[in-house]
Amino acid sequence: MTIKAGDTIPACTLKTMGAEGPVDITTDEIFKGKKVLLFAVPGAFTPGCSKAHLPGYVVNADKIKAKGVDTIACMAVNDAFVMDAWGKAQNAEELLMLGDGNGDFTAALGLELDGSGFGLGKRSQRFAMLVEDGTITHLNVEPGPGIDVSSAETMMALL
Protein backbone atom coordinates (compact mmCIF):
# COMPACT_ATOMS: atom_id res chain seq x y z
CA MET A 1 0.00 0.00 0.00
CA THR A 2 1.31 3.43 -0.95
CA ILE A 3 1.81 5.99 1.79
CA LYS A 4 -0.30 9.15 1.50
CA ALA A 5 -0.63 12.67 2.88
CA GLY A 6 -1.48 12.54 6.57
CA ASP A 7 0.56 9.37 7.17
CA THR A 8 3.63 9.22 9.37
CA ILE A 9 6.99 8.47 7.81
CA PRO A 10 7.91 4.82 8.57
CA ALA A 11 10.90 4.14 10.80
CA CYS A 12 13.85 3.14 8.62
CA THR A 13 17.57 3.63 8.35
CA LEU A 14 19.19 5.11 5.27
CA LYS A 15 22.82 5.90 4.47
CA THR A 16 24.63 9.16 3.85
CA MET A 17 28.30 9.86 3.40
CA GLY A 18 30.29 10.92 6.43
CA ALA A 19 33.90 12.06 6.70
CA GLU A 20 35.14 8.48 6.99
CA GLY A 21 32.60 6.67 4.83
CA PRO A 22 28.91 5.73 4.84
CA VAL A 23 26.97 6.41 8.05
CA ASP A 24 23.50 5.40 9.15
CA ILE A 25 20.85 8.08 9.39
CA THR A 26 17.39 7.25 10.71
CA THR A 27 14.15 8.68 9.49
CA ASP A 28 13.73 10.21 12.97
CA GLU A 29 17.02 12.07 12.52
CA ILE A 30 15.91 13.31 9.12
CA PHE A 31 12.30 14.26 9.84
CA LYS A 32 11.64 14.71 13.57
CA GLY A 33 10.94 18.34 14.45
CA LYS A 34 11.79 19.54 10.93
CA LYS A 35 10.15 20.58 7.70
CA VAL A 36 11.68 18.41 4.98
CA LEU A 37 11.28 18.31 1.22
CA LEU A 38 12.29 14.82 0.12
CA PHE A 39 12.40 13.88 -3.53
CA ALA A 40 13.28 10.50 -4.95
CA VAL A 41 14.67 9.48 -8.29
CA PRO A 42 14.92 6.11 -10.04
CA GLY A 43 18.71 6.31 -10.18
CA ALA A 44 21.69 8.56 -9.65
CA PHE A 45 23.54 9.57 -12.82
CA THR A 46 20.61 8.56 -15.04
CA PRO A 47 19.76 11.11 -17.77
CA GLY A 48 16.42 12.51 -16.57
CA CYS A 49 17.55 12.58 -12.96
CA SER A 50 20.87 14.28 -13.75
CA LYS A 51 19.72 16.69 -16.45
CA ALA A 52 16.34 17.78 -15.10
CA HIS A 53 15.24 16.54 -11.67
CA LEU A 54 18.20 17.11 -9.34
CA PRO A 55 19.36 20.37 -11.01
CA GLY A 56 16.00 22.03 -10.30
CA TYR A 57 16.50 21.45 -6.59
CA VAL A 58 20.14 22.51 -6.69
CA VAL A 59 19.44 25.89 -8.33
CA ASN A 60 16.39 26.55 -6.13
CA ALA A 61 17.81 25.34 -2.79
CA ASP A 62 18.11 28.83 -1.31
CA LYS A 63 14.57 29.77 -2.38
CA ILE A 64 13.17 26.53 -0.95
CA LYS A 65 14.96 27.00 2.36
CA ALA A 66 13.82 30.64 2.47
CA LYS A 67 10.24 29.29 2.46
CA GLY A 68 10.86 27.47 5.74
CA VAL A 69 12.24 24.11 4.64
CA ASP A 70 14.96 22.87 6.99
CA THR A 71 16.25 20.04 4.79
CA ILE A 72 16.08 19.21 1.10
CA ALA A 73 16.81 15.51 0.72
CA CYS A 74 17.43 13.55 -2.46
CA MET A 75 16.99 9.78 -2.27
CA ALA A 76 17.57 6.88 -4.63
CA VAL A 77 17.92 3.12 -4.41
CA ASN A 78 21.68 3.51 -4.73
CA ASP A 79 24.48 3.20 -2.19
CA ALA A 80 25.91 6.13 -0.22
CA PHE A 81 29.09 6.16 -2.33
CA VAL A 82 27.12 6.69 -5.53
CA MET A 83 24.82 9.28 -3.96
CA ASP A 84 27.80 11.20 -2.59
CA ALA A 85 29.62 11.17 -5.95
CA TRP A 86 26.45 12.23 -7.77
CA GLY A 87 25.85 15.06 -5.31
CA LYS A 88 29.42 16.31 -5.78
CA ALA A 89 29.16 16.05 -9.58
CA GLN A 90 25.93 18.08 -9.47
CA ASN A 91 27.11 20.73 -6.94
CA ALA A 92 24.38 19.60 -4.53
CA GLU A 93 26.14 20.70 -1.33
CA GLU A 94 22.90 22.17 0.03
CA LEU A 95 21.07 18.84 -0.27
CA LEU A 96 21.13 15.77 1.93
CA MET A 97 21.98 12.89 -0.42
CA LEU A 98 20.42 9.67 0.88
CA GLY A 99 21.17 6.15 -0.23
CA ASP A 100 18.41 3.56 0.16
CA GLY A 101 20.73 0.83 -1.09
CA ASN A 102 18.46 -2.14 -0.36
CA GLY A 103 15.25 -0.24 -1.12
CA ASP A 104 13.89 -0.81 2.39
CA PHE A 105 12.59 2.74 2.85
CA THR A 106 11.20 2.83 -0.69
CA ALA A 107 9.35 -0.45 -0.01
CA ALA A 108 8.04 0.84 3.33
CA LEU A 109 6.62 3.84 1.47
CA GLY A 110 5.02 1.53 -1.13
CA LEU A 111 6.73 3.48 -3.92
CA GLU A 112 8.82 0.78 -5.60
CA LEU A 113 9.43 0.69 -9.32
CA ASP A 114 10.36 -2.48 -11.17
CA GLY A 115 13.12 -1.42 -13.55
CA SER A 116 14.12 -4.99 -14.37
CA GLY A 117 13.20 -4.53 -18.02
CA PHE A 118 15.93 -1.87 -18.24
CA GLY A 119 18.46 -3.83 -16.16
CA LEU A 120 17.87 -1.61 -13.13
CA GLY A 121 16.16 -4.03 -10.75
CA LYS A 122 13.95 -2.62 -7.99
CA ARG A 123 14.13 1.17 -7.78
CA SER A 124 12.11 4.06 -6.45
CA GLN A 125 9.33 5.71 -8.35
CA ARG A 126 9.97 9.38 -9.06
CA PHE A 127 8.22 11.39 -6.34
CA ALA A 128 8.48 14.35 -4.01
CA MET A 129 6.95 14.92 -0.60
CA LEU A 130 6.74 17.61 2.04
CA VAL A 131 7.03 16.30 5.57
CA GLU A 132 6.46 18.27 8.77
CA ASP A 133 7.68 16.69 12.00
CA GLY A 134 7.42 13.21 10.51
CA THR A 135 3.96 13.62 8.97
CA ILE A 136 3.52 13.80 5.21
CA THR A 137 1.64 16.96 4.21
CA HIS A 138 1.98 16.57 0.42
CA LEU A 139 2.98 13.61 -1.74
CA ASN A 140 3.39 13.96 -5.49
CA VAL A 141 4.15 10.78 -7.41
CA GLU A 142 4.91 11.01 -11.12
CA PRO A 143 2.23 9.08 -13.02
CA GLY A 144 4.66 8.01 -15.75
CA PRO A 145 7.84 9.15 -17.45
CA GLY A 146 8.78 12.78 -17.13
CA ILE A 147 9.32 15.27 -14.36
CA ASP A 148 6.31 17.42 -13.58
CA VAL A 149 4.52 16.91 -10.26
CA SER A 150 7.78 16.14 -8.42
CA SER A 151 9.81 19.05 -9.83
CA ALA A 152 11.36 21.70 -7.61
CA GLU A 153 9.10 24.33 -9.15
CA THR A 154 5.92 22.34 -8.44
CA MET A 155 6.97 21.63 -4.87
CA MET A 156 7.95 25.27 -4.27
CA ALA A 157 4.42 26.31 -5.19
CA LEU A 158 3.13 24.15 -2.31
CA LEU A 159 5.27 25.93 0.30
Side-chain angles (χ1 to χ4, degrees):
M1 185 168 89
T2 303
I3 202 155
K4 62 190 179 312
D7 289 348
T8 301
I9 290 289
C12 281
T13 300
L14 297 133
K15 298 278 189 185
T16 191
M17 189 58 72
E20 297 182 23
V23 294
D24 289 349
I25 185 167
T26 66
T27 49
D28 266 358
E29 290 172 294
I30 298 166
F31 298 103
K32 190 173 182 181
K34 299 175 192 166
K35 186 172 189 174
V36 179
L37 195 167
L38 169 78
F39 69 102
V41 299
F45 290 105
T46 57
C49 304
S50 291
K51 293 179 182 174
H53 208 181
L54 179 59
Y57 285 97
V58 170
V59 299
N60 289 298
D62 290 340
K63 292 176 187 172
I64 293 168
K65 289 184 176 183
K67 292 182 175 245
V69 171
D70 299 301
T71 305
I72 304 166
C74 175
M75 183 193 75
V77 179
N78 287 115
D79 61 63
F81 294 102
V82 169
M83 293 303 288
D84 183 60
W86 189 43
K88 287 176 180 170
Q90 294 284 323
N91 300 310
E93 298 85 14
E94 295 292 316
L95 279 61
L96 176 62
M97 302 300 285
L98 298 170
D100 185 21
N102 295 326
D104 296 337
F105 184 55
T106 300
L109 295 172
L111 291 169
E112 293 175 294
L113 169 73
D114 185 357
S116 299
F118 301 102
L120 298 173
K122 298 284 185 191
R123 296 295 180 121
S124 174
Q125 291 184 49
R126 188 181 304 279
F127 70 87
M129 65 171 71
L130 288 170
V131 182
E132 293 190 36
D133 193 23
T135 300
I136 299 168
T137 58
H138 292 87
L139 173 62
N140 290 355
V141 181
E142 293 293 347
I147 301 159
D148 181 32
V149 299
S150 65
S151 72
E153 295 76 15
T154 297
M155 297 307 291
M156 286 171 51
L158 298 173
L159 296 171

